Amino acid sequence: MQGQSFLDHLVVTVRGGETRCPYPAIETTLTLDPGTGGSGAAAFVPMKSSSVGPPSGGNGGAGGDIYFETSSHVTSLAAVPKRIRAGNGLNGQGSYRHGKRGADTVVRLPVGTVIKEISRESEAEKIARDEAALEMDDEERRRVRRARMFIKHPMGEITEDDYLYAERLLAKEQRALNLHEAAQARDKIQIDIDRPLDQPLLITRGGTGGLGNPHFIDPAQPHRAARLASRGATPSTITLALELKLIA
């Protein structure tokens, strides 16, 4: 789906010239969960011999985005759900089959809604919180993070060099847990919808899909089977305050 981004509204505020009442008619909170990207596949072309063929895992599909739009049929925030989720991307499969993109979600709001971001928690922040609660040492933390980042082919050995090369590749493409959010816009959402929107407004994007194992062929070891694929990214969970002001 194509639409405006909330960043557009940080530059040009929607103004219709209406006179506002000085008090809100209703307030509510809304939590947004964009779709998680599907995981890439760790698969190989079947061979008649016992050796594995070329890597053939497809990429995961991107997670769905969340949009806001205005509707003349919506006059209150009472019907807006407290939590909005977009569809997750589907996992890649063998034979170079890529996963399907997750479905977008469009939230209909009444004109006069003021939207302010309350909080945002990224995947990396969630992981760090879990690690602190479990009091993990460095080795356990590395093991758990790798399990969250990668899919392993069930047969064959994964070496430390395999992991290091895969981690460098993800970091280069800004797909690592600590870099994915840095690549996204971190401006706080603050929108005043004073008139009907001409098109759906993009609020937050879904996570990128994971990479299939063909991406993890190490040029320094071209004959070594690539047995790792990456998991899709989980985007930030965002909580918003919605306020509907009466328009006279």
Side-chain angles (χ1 to χ4, degrees):
M1 175 180 292
Q2 297 295 323
Q4 293 173 289
S5 163
F6 82 87
L7 293 175
D8 299 327
H9 283 249
L10 296 177
V11 179
V12 181
T13 306
V14 179
R15 294 293 177 188
E18 299 90 342
T19 302
R20 289 186 171 280
C21 294
Y23 55 87
I26 187 170
E27 294 181 356
T28 189
T29 58
L30 176 62
T31 300
L32 305 181
D33 288 312
T36 297
S39 295
F44 295 93
V45 174
M47 303 290 285
K48 293 182 179 179
S49 64
S50 58
S51 62
V52 297
S56 64
N59 299 334
D65 304 332
I66 296 178
Y67 291 79
F68 286 170
E69 69 177 8
T70 53
S71 171
S72 60
H73 301 292
V74 180
T75 58
S76 168
L77 297 176
V80 178
K82 295 292 186 182
R83 198 169 199 109
I84 301 295
R85 293 181 171 88
N88 294 334
L90 298 184
N91 297 337
Q93 300 181 55
S95 301
Y96 307 100
R97 290 174 292 175
H98 301 312
K100 185 179 179 181
R101 190 182 186 283
D104 296 333
T105 296
V106 179
V107 183
R108 292 177 177 169
L109 298 174
V111 174
T113 302
V114 177
I115 305 159
K116 294 181 181 179
E117 181 177 323
I118 299 174
S119 65
R120 178 186 302 234
E121 186 176 40
S122 69
E123 180 184 16
E125 290 166 337
K126 294 173 188 175
I127 291 172
R129 174 164 49 81
D130 292 344
E131 291 173 348
L134 295 173
E135 299 182 347
M136 295 180 183
D137 59 28
D138 290 344
E139 183 61 32
E140 181 69 7
R141 186 179 296 111
R142 180 164 52 251
R143 186 189 67 79
V144 170
R145 288 202 173 202
R146 283 175 171 174
R148 288 181 184 247
M149 291 173 66
F150 297 110
I151 299 287
K152 298 190 297 184
H153 191 270
M155 299 179 64
E157 178 188 4
I158 309 294
T159 68
E160 181 67 13
D161 285 344
D162 293 332
Y163 278 117
L164 292 175
Y165 176 76
E167 288 167 348
R168 287 195 299 269
L169 177 67
L170 294 187
K172 181 180 178 181
E173 299 199 8
Q174 296 188 324
R175 290 172 178 260
L177 291 176
N178 61 337
L179 293 177
H180 174 71
E181 287 297 327
Q184 310 301 312
R186 295 304 301 265
D187 301 84
K188 282 196 172 184
I189 298 170
Q190 187 165 342
I191 307 167
D192 190 345
I193 304 176
D194 286 346
R195 67 184 181 195
L197 297 172
D198 295 329
Q199 57 185 328
L201 179 65
L202 174 63
I203 299 299
T204 179
R205 293 190 181 278
T208 54
L211 299 176
N213 61 328
H215 291 272
F216 295 96
I217 299 173
D218 186 350
Q221 305 180 71
H223 300 296
R224 179 169 177 76
R227 301 182 186 276
L228 289 175
S230 64
R231 297 185 187 275
T234 300
S236 294
T237 296
I238 302 172
T239 301
L240 304 174
L242 272 58
E243 179 184 290
L244 179 59
K245 293 186 178 181
L246 298 178
I247 298 177

